[in-house]
Amino acid sequence: MEIETAVRPDETDTALLDLLRQLHQQGYRFVTPTPATHARVIARADRTMARSIEDALGWSLPFARDTLPQPLLTYLDAAGMIERTAEGWRSRVRVSTLHDTLYLHSAYPTDAQDAVFFGPDSYRFADLIARELHAEPVQTDAHIVDIGTGAGVGAIVASQCSPQARVTMTDINSQALRLARINARAANVRIDAMETPGIEGVEGDIDVAMINPPYIIDEDARTYRDGGGMHGAQLSLDLTDAALGRLRPGGRVILYTGSAIVRGQDRLQTALAQRAAHRGCRLRYRELDPDVFGEELEKPAYADVDRIALVAAILTAAGR
């Protein structure tokens, strides 16, 4: 199977696809940590230059050209994803492993407005999707939509769990969709792709809407990181509300996000419960991790926040 025929890969996309296939054949593996952990690791005295493929394509360290096998250099060159710096050569992309699938995403540090994020949230989101789709499999003609797909994790995992379903991935970031398409082709799954900020333009009803949105207040308003109001939870609420309006009877929204807990109160949980009651949906809500991104609490925007919790919310529409 392959990505939608309406999008024809160019030579640079083909080079990146070949890069992923070559890395897969070589048994490449890399688990992406948080940016804070990444910064601490590469600050070590013995991490100034890459000594391995993982150092160059995972840790984003500068490298001498003879550090990488020639085929990998050829693919990076052909894709325009290698650049010369004062320290040495650098890859403009990273490659990470999740469930034995390789994913292209942006090199560290992810400062650009169109950066394509991948990290610990990606692993937890993938596990949440896999659990939900295995616990309650979808029907053969189901339509699954991954809203704000980023590197394509949600869409690809859903396709692997439910190969009989039609899967659509959306994102406002054209660079994210580009890498997501390549990642999907490398994973041998067929996924439709649409550049849109939510589900605008997606046709038909939805059986499963999956959402892993930004949930932090970002001073630079970077698309992949800024979650808007409610201490970063507004985008999660808005996308969920839009998806609820498109669900088939018995359909569900799988939301993975963060929620700022203010003086012991979870405002996102309260707002989602209100939306669920209004639409006659059942809500399952739980904390996956009680405390993440603690460094954000030092910023003025979080002056009244106790902690940021990672949460999973499953909203199920009434059946037929």
Side-chain angles (χ1 to χ4, degrees):
M1 292 182 283
E2 60 183 9
I3 202 70
E4 57 178 340
T5 56
V7 177
R8 297 181 180 275
D10 61 21
E11 292 182 0
T12 60
D13 289 358
T14 299
L16 288 175
L17 178 60
D18 290 338
L19 174 72
L20 288 182
R21 288 171 173 165
Q22 182 71 28
L23 289 171
H24 181 74
Q25 291 176 4
Q26 295 182 2
Y28 173 94
R29 297 190 65 83
F30 182 78
V31 174
T32 299
T34 64
T37 293
H38 196 124
R40 291 186 181 103
V41 171
I42 65 172
R44 295 169 181 166
D46 63 344
R47 294 298 185 104
T48 57
M49 289 289 290
R51 301 177 182 177
S52 65
I53 298 173
E54 290 76 14
D55 281 351
L57 298 182
W59 291 109
S60 293
L61 290 174
F63 55 90
R65 286 188 72 95
D66 60 3
T67 301
L68 297 185
Q70 186 57 49
L72 299 185
L73 288 172
T74 299
Y75 298 142
L76 287 171
D77 275 331
M81 289 296 179
I82 188 172
E83 58 186 6
R84 186 68 181 267
T85 69
E87 297 82 13
W89 295 93
R90 284 184 182 270
S91 170
R92 295 172 56 203
V93 292
R94 272 182 289 178
V95 181
S96 294
T97 317
L98 189 160
H99 294 177
D100 295 323
T101 298
L102 296 182
Y103 290 84
L104 289 162
H105 55 106
S106 294
Y108 177 89
T110 50
D111 294 331
Q113 287 288 340
D114 63 348
V116 183
F117 179 80
F118 186 104
D121 281 327
S122 305
Y123 297 98
R124 289 184 287 247
F125 182 48
D127 288 342
L128 175 63
I129 292 169
R131 285 196 302 270
E132 287 296 321
L133 293 182
H134 286 142
E136 188 178 339
V138 298
Q139 297 182 354
T140 302
D141 60 347
H143 186 196
I144 302 174
V145 180
D146 182 21
I147 305 171
T149 193
V153 171
I156 292 170
V157 171
S159 293
Q160 292 169 334
C161 293
S162 307
Q164 77 282 10
R166 176 166 67 97
V167 179
T168 300
M169 56 186 176
T170 76
D171 207 291
I172 194 173
N173 182 350
S174 60
Q175 177 65 3
L177 278 182
R178 179 196 177 200
L179 296 188
R181 288 187 181 105
I182 297 168
N183 292 336
R185 293 183 67 209
N188 294 313
V189 293
R190 178 179 177 82
I191 301 172
D192 297 324
M194 180 173 294
E195 186 173 342
T196 180
I199 53 176
E200 296 87 344
V202 176
E203 296 182 354
D205 293 333
I206 298 171
D207 293 277
V208 179
M210 307 177 302
I211 312 172
N212 175 17
Y215 55 81
I216 297 295
I217 300 172
D218 185 56
E219 295 174 351
D220 299 321
R222 286 169 290 184
T223 303
Y224 80 94
R225 183 173 169 84
D226 187 26
M230 289 180 61
H231 294 99
Q234 189 63 55
L235 182 60
S236 299
L237 185 60
D238 291 345
L239 291 176
T240 299
D241 206 27
L244 288 174
R246 296 284 301 278
L247 289 182
R248 283 195 177 113
R252 61 195 140 143
V253 173
I254 301 174
L255 172 66
Y256 170 95
T257 190
S259 182
I261 310 301
V262 180
R263 299 188 182 279
Q265 300 300 310
D266 187 338
R267 295 170 59 199
L268 177 61
Q269 182 179 15
T270 300
L272 287 173
Q274 292 171 346
R275 299 299 196 282
H278 175 71
R279 293 184 179 273
C281 295
R282 177 169 60 92
L283 171 65
R284 288 185 285 130
Y285 188 97
R286 70 181 187 278
E287 287 192 8
L288 302 175
D289 192 322
D291 182 15
V292 295
F293 290 111
E295 65 274 14
E296 297 294 325
L297 304 190
E298 298 175 0
K299 299 178 180 178
Y302 287 92
D304 58 342
V305 173
D306 301 337
R307 57 190 174 89
I308 302 171
L310 288 179
V311 301
I314 314 300
L315 297 97
T316 305
R320 293 178 177 85

